[in-house]
Amino acid sequence: MSDTIDVTRLTLMLNELRLPAIKQMWEKIAARCDKEGWPAARLLATLAEHELAERDRRRLERHLGDAKLLPGKTLATYDFEAVPMVSKAQVMALCAGDAWLEQGANLILLGPPGGGKSHLSSAIGLALLEKGWRVLFSRTSDLVQKLQVARRELALESAIQRLERFDLLILDDITYVSKDQAESSVLFELISARYERRSMLITANQPFGEWGKIFPDAAMTLAAVDRLVHHATIFEMNVESYRRRAAIERKHGAGRPAHYATPKNTGVAPPPDNPHRGVKPEEPVSAQENRQ
Ligand code: ADP
Ligand code: MG
């Protein structure tokens, strides 16, 4: 084989093979290979690695664009100390993804406005997306509106089918579904279609007892809640528990961060580098919190 190649033809071939990263980089990498005297196999492996890395990057970018997550809401910017009833360890375990998403289990965040439900759900969505899961974040009323349009066009089934590609569907503020939206049962159909197959993360400002206005009748409300909670992790993120945390801290003094002190999380071992260790029992709660 000749030492020279037809660069134009190579470019065409790389286009045909859909190898854009190699097309962009091969000249630079080949020059380095010539200069450093790489074995041919190393050149081939290097080019293949570049193509794969670039493919992963593009896929992540595409999935991020599709996911419609809330900008800037990450786990890194989420202050778990502010919501002591939510265990960071448990959230991190959920973000490892695998088991619950494979089983189509759900996550439900309940609590009053401002408690960080939207932030946490979007942050969990981002963490899962970065691990390769497909996620869609939507205000529930927006999605319901789209499904209602689909129903009018006799295309509800295919609209629900299109959502199948998302391993996790985040429905934010389910109790904000309006009265006239509730008259249609599209939300129930969506919940039924995903039951035990595809996961949902649902946030709500109101407890299950108040969900009657989301669905056309009581039987459907019960059936929907039943399906949602059957395989679900539920975080109750209410501010009252924040006050309880302060009370527990006052009672126990030092040494135990409150989210490990809540009854729900007693099975979780504290981290080895517990920053609360050594806090003096007589120290006021506010001083302890400032350090967190
Ligand atoms: P909710 O959805 O429960 O009404 P949001 O997630 O919208 O609450 O939170 C309201 C604002 O407060 C957002 O800007 C959010 O980023 C911020 N916020 C709430 N809780 C936390 C937290 N624990 N750590 C960091 N920011 C938070
Ligand atoms: Mg919200």
Side-chain angles (χ1 to χ4, degrees), residues 70-83 109-122 137 172-173 176 203-205 237:
L70 301 174
K73 306 298 181 195
T74 65
L75 289 176
T77 59
Y78 194 74
D79 174 12
F80 283 89
E81 299 293 342
V83 196
L109 310 185
L110 302 173
K117 301 181 301 297
S118 299
H119 183 144
L120 184 60
S121 55
S122 190
F137 181 104
D172 197 27
D173 283 328
Y176 283 1
T203 80
N205 287 335
M237 302 164 61

Side-chain angles (χ1 to χ4, degrees), residues 271-291:
D273 56 341
N274 183 346
H276 299 259
R277 226 171 256 155
V279 177
K280 291 190 203 82
E282 65 273 16
E283 195 167 10
V285 169
S286 59
Q288 293 177 28
E289 277 171 358
N290 284 343
R291 202 178 304 148

Side-chain angles (χ1 to χ4, degrees), residues 159-286:
I160 289 176
Q161 180 67 34
R162 275 198 302 281
L163 296 170
E164 288 278 301
R165 71 182 194 275
F166 297 108
D167 300 290
L168 180 66
L169 185 56
I170 302 174
L171 294 186
D172 197 27
D173 283 328
I174 197 168
T175 51
Y176 283 1
V177 165
S178 67
K179 249 215 149 36
D180 57 320
Q181 285 184 321
E183 279 160 25
S184 150
S185 61
V186 291
L187 186 56
F188 181 77
E189 301 215 10
L190 175 67
I191 291 166
S192 299
R194 291 184 78 90
Y195 177 55
E196 292 192 320
R197 294 190 314 105
R198 302 306 250 167
S199 295
M200 300 174 104
L201 193 171
I202 290 180
T203 80
N205 287 335
Q206 284 160 359
F208 296 119
E210 307 292 319
W211 286 25
K213 69 180 184 83
I214 311 173
F215 300 96
D217 58 59
M220 205 181 268
T221 307
L222 199 66
V225 172
D226 213 46
R227 281 166 172 75
L228 287 175
V229 302
H230 185 193
H231 308 284
T233 301
I234 300 172
F235 289 148
E236 290 188 49
M237 302 164 61
N238 52 59
V239 278
E240 196 172 312
S241 291
Y242 180 80
R243 284 197 291 272
R244 205 182 84 192
R245 178 183 85 130
I248 288 170
E249 275 189 343
R250 268 197 299 277
K251 194 168 152 211
H252 288 282
R256 295 170 77 197
H259 55 284
Y260 294 110
T262 53
K264 207 167 117 198
N265 302 313
T266 43
V268 181
D273 56 341
N274 183 346
H276 299 259
R277 226 171 256 155
V279 177
K280 291 190 203 82
E282 65 273 16
E283 195 167 10
V285 169
S286 59

